[in-house]
Amino acid sequence: MTDSDNTQSRQIDEMPETPVEHPFRQFVTMYMRNYAAVAGLLVFVVIVAAALLAPVILNVDPFEMVDVPLLPPGESGHLFGTDNLGRDMLVSIIYGARVTMAVGGAAAAITLIIGLSIGAMAGYYRGWVDEVLMRITEFFQVLPPLLLAMVLVALFSPTLETVAIAIGVVSWTGVARLARAEFMRLRELDFVKAARSIGGRDRRIIWLVILPNALPPLIVNAALTVGIAILFEAALSFLGLSDPNVMSWGKLIGDNRDYLLDAPWTVTIPGVAIFLTVLAMSLIGDGLNDAFNPKLRER
Amino acid sequence: MSDDDDILLDVAHLKVYFRLPRKNIFAKASRVHAVDDVSFQIKRGTTLGIVGESGSGKTTTAMAVMRLTPITSGAMRLGDTDLAALEGEDLRHARTRMQIIFQDPYSSLNPRVRAGAIVREPMDLMNIGDPADREGRVADLFRKVGLRPEQQALFPHQFSGGQRQRIGVARALATQPELVVCDEPVSALDVAIQAQILNLLRSLQDEFGLTYLFISHDLGVVQYMCDEIAVMYLGQIVEYADRISLFTEPLHPYTWALLSAVPSADPATRARADRIRLQGDPPSPIDLPPGCRFSSRCPFAEARCVQETPPLRSIRPGHAVACHLVSDDGVPPQRRS
């Protein structure tokens, strides 16, 4: 290295810029390669569209009794038949999608907000903050989630808001642990130290430096959380612990459970609707996971 | 060190211990002595190198100087500022005066931020210069470190390792620092790129009057870059000298071993070198033996080396060594035997 003068110190690396595909494009390509995930996304889009457009395409009250009770599917122009009170099942399913998606989405959002805040603080600050927050998390983990949600809904009024909050309160622990692990990993990386040395404050480092890099596993988890929240909502309304004035899939199963043997479609159809929605969310989560980690999929 | 006004960084008796988790609640918490009573000074505009093997505490020293790792005790002064006592916003503002270049150019840049924004961020956060001029300054810094200003719009993954390290250098210079800590800035790069980055660092030092604390395990790099060199072993400085003295008259047996381990392309040098091969690994920095920390591997160790810890004593101006066996007139044990 003694004949350093020959080496041009200001010379630009000869390496040409590699034409790298835009990250988002690459993400979409990877997602599209997973056919199951594409199918899941299609199902999801159809359900969301039905939920959003319900009042436009079917301007009827789902609680209106339109025909004889327990008509089998296809009879008298009722595609999905009628339920125990003679209400059209198709209308109920479509209106039920509104509640299911709204509660599922809101509960997943609450889960993410609580879990992320607690996990981020614990993983970033470590020490006693971590100890206290993790003991609180463990406290929530050992409580039976469905029981706790039932107690919360029973204590407060059984409205959709309460149901969504109750589901969020019982299911944030997994997100908190995931966020904590990601923050603990990322806080040790040099670019986080660099952010501190160039004058970044804690709040900036947590939300603007670490969080964007911690998002991929959390987004995957959020998709799965929506599915779990939908199941929770169905369970609560099956048990009658939901708003009795709104139609939901769980409520349909709960109302018709006595007719399971005589009119199985009244229970099966909403059951299949729940199954398809949760399956779609799982497949979407799977596809997002592949798209975020293209290298893992190639193996 | 006659002119005290010239000293930019003065570190005295720096200690950094890491607490280990207790094995059970009755066990005494043990501590890793990562940096144990280290003192050094760097004159403005010069470069102090810290060399040592992995685990010698050289990177921890760098992180402590940057206040990126908590220090256990010791004093650090940057110019007339008491660096060790600063907290909160005062520390944040003092950070403009010292910046760091990291070892790994892949983990030191946020993958989600464009190169231009990475270099601009310090100016926005520290409120440096007129906001209207910042765009021009970023472009200027890109040119200074050998990148094209058009490359600002690219993301870090679109650059090569050497280019990424240049972005790291530009980011470090954005706050117009006095002290730049270089934590093994070239050890992750190809040899050809290493030379480019080292030359870049040297020309930037001349241009901006920078002071470097240069951490490395590569003696060739240190010889090329540094005015003074501290050799660290297990958290302590064992020898401290200017470049010429250290490379021509190494006193400590460990320094001797390090120098003799440098590979040479010249067969004559290779044949002449009376190479010292160290046996075994350094002892664990958790349960440190009394006496000289190097005694377990030192080929010249005597009884008192195991009993008494040798102090770092000055043999002649600018050359200090921590070894019982070096005589007061500076004759190392290797020459005597």
Side-chain angles (χ1 to χ4, degrees), chain B residues 9 32 49 66 95 106 114 138 144 153 155 168 187 203 208 227 240 261 290 292 314:
Chain B
L9 181 71
V32 177
M66 287 300 298
R95 287 188 190 282
Y106 290 89
R114 291 176 196 273
V138 173
K144 285 234 155 64
F155 283 96
S187 55
S203 64
F208 298 106
D227 301 297
Y240 189 107
C292 174
S314 185

Side-chain angles (χ1 to χ4, degrees), chain A residues 1 4 7 9-13 15 17 20 190-191 193-194 196-199 201 204 212-213 216, chain B residues 89 92 95 99 107-108 110-112 121 144 146 148 151 157 160 163 166 171 196 199 203 207 224:
Chain A
M1 261 178 277
S4 55
T7 328
S9 68
R10 293 288 163 80
Q11 104 188 26
I12 290 159
D13 287 14
M15 195 92 94
E17 287 146 40
V20 182
D190 285 345
F191 70 82
K193 288 183 190 151
R196 179 170 301 282
S197 86
I198 60 172
R201 296 182 178 89
R204 181 188 168 81
N213 288 288
Chain B
E89 282 295 288
R92 205 176 81 82
R95 287 188 190 282
Q99 284 298 314
S107 80
S108 62
N110 188 340
R112 294 181 187 271
E121 212 176 1
K144 285 234 155 64
R148 296 194 304 280
Q151 290 173 311
H157 68 95
S160 68
Q163 288 174 320
R166 287 172 195 269
R171 171 177 63 191
Q196 289 180 14
N199 287 329
S203 64
E207 188 170 348
Y224 182 64

